[in-house]
Amino acid sequence: SATVEPLDEVAKFLVGIGDDRNVDVAKVPFNKKIDIKVLTPVDDLTSHPNPQKELYHLVNELVKEHKTTLIFTNTRSATERIVNYLKDKFPTDYGDSNIAAHHSSLSKEHRFRIEEDLRNGKLKVVVCSTSLELGIDIGFIDLVILVGSPKASSRALQRIGRAGHKLHDVAKGRFIVTDLDD
């Protein structure tokens, strides 16, 4: 796994500890290219009356430029809000067949169905809170959008790492900030 550390401790866990158990640990260097940018939906966050409204237009532009986009929010309500707003304001671009929300308040069966549709290339956009951060194979993603700061660089890298999973692909992530704190 790309995220397992420390390798010697994991090896002990897998084979046990004892003089008669030998294990070789292979550590393959991993130099993944990452393309990260911080974007704002408006020119001046201090004077714009509602940068949040412009956020959705920027998200729409970024999604249209890519095959499959995973959007991370920091809350379940923000996840639902983004999905509903995109469907409502851009009905010719988004509908039940190509965009979905994924978070822990949804049933396990519903989340699994979304993961399957994403893996099979049926969804163009999945918006989630933390539920797709790690662990499962979700297929090809060429852009990860982080709406707001995830509050930890390790979390940001974990999320952005969901893009560009093929060998030699670039993990592409875009932070979209709508306030000065982010």
Side-chain angles (χ1 to χ4, degrees), residues 3-21:
T3 57
V4 171
E5 286 289 340
L7 292 177
D8 291 331
E9 289 299 313
V10 174
K12 288 178 193 174
F13 176 77
L14 291 174
V15 299
I17 299 172
D19 295 338
D20 59 337
R21 296 192 178 223

Side-chain angles (χ1 to χ4, degrees), residues 103-126:
H103 55 72
S104 59
S105 291
L106 299 170
S107 73
K108 182 179 178 183
E109 294 78 20
H110 185 75
R111 290 192 316 262
F112 181 76
R113 197 167 37 253
I114 291 168
E115 293 161 16
E116 281 294 307
D117 287 348
L118 186 58
R119 235 185 318 277
N120 294 327
K122 294 179 181 176
L123 293 171
K124 182 167 181 59
V125 185
V126 172

Side-chain angles (χ1 to χ4, degrees), residues 39-42 54-63 145 176:
L39 307 172
T40 60
V42 296
E54 300 302 321
L55 160 79
Y56 301 106
H57 293 282
L58 178 55
V59 167
N60 182 48
E61 288 174 27
L62 291 169
V63 167
I145 297 173
I176 300 178

Side-chain angles (χ1 to χ4, degrees), residues 139-178:
F140 176 79
I141 304 289
D142 58 340
L143 176 66
V144 170
I145 297 173
L146 296 95
V147 177
S149 169
K151 312 298 185 222
S153 57
S154 59
R155 188 174 296 145
L157 288 173
Q158 187 72 41
R159 291 176 180 187
I160 292 169
R162 303 303 273 156
H165 256 209
K166 290 186 202 166
L167 189 63
H168 307 298
D169 277 0
V170 175
K172 186 175 183 181
R174 299 294 182 259
F175 291 90
I176 300 178
V177 296
T178 58

Side-chain angles (χ1 to χ4, degrees), residues 79-107:
T79 294
E80 294 289 348
R81 187 170 45 253
I82 288 174
V83 169
N84 291 330
Y85 192 95
L86 291 174
K87 284 180 174 180
D88 185 48
K89 297 301 178 190
F90 306 100
T92 58
D93 295 321
Y94 306 100
D96 292 338
S97 64
N98 68 353
I99 187 171
H102 189 288
H103 55 72
S104 59
S105 291
L106 299 170
S107 73

Side-chain angles (χ1 to χ4, degrees), residues 70-75 79 100-103 126-133 159:
L70 183 56
I71 301 172
F72 281 99
T73 67
N74 291 325
T75 64
T79 294
H102 189 288
H103 55 72
V126 172
V127 186
C128 64
S129 51
T130 60
S131 55
L132 288 176
E133 213 167 69
R159 291 176 180 187

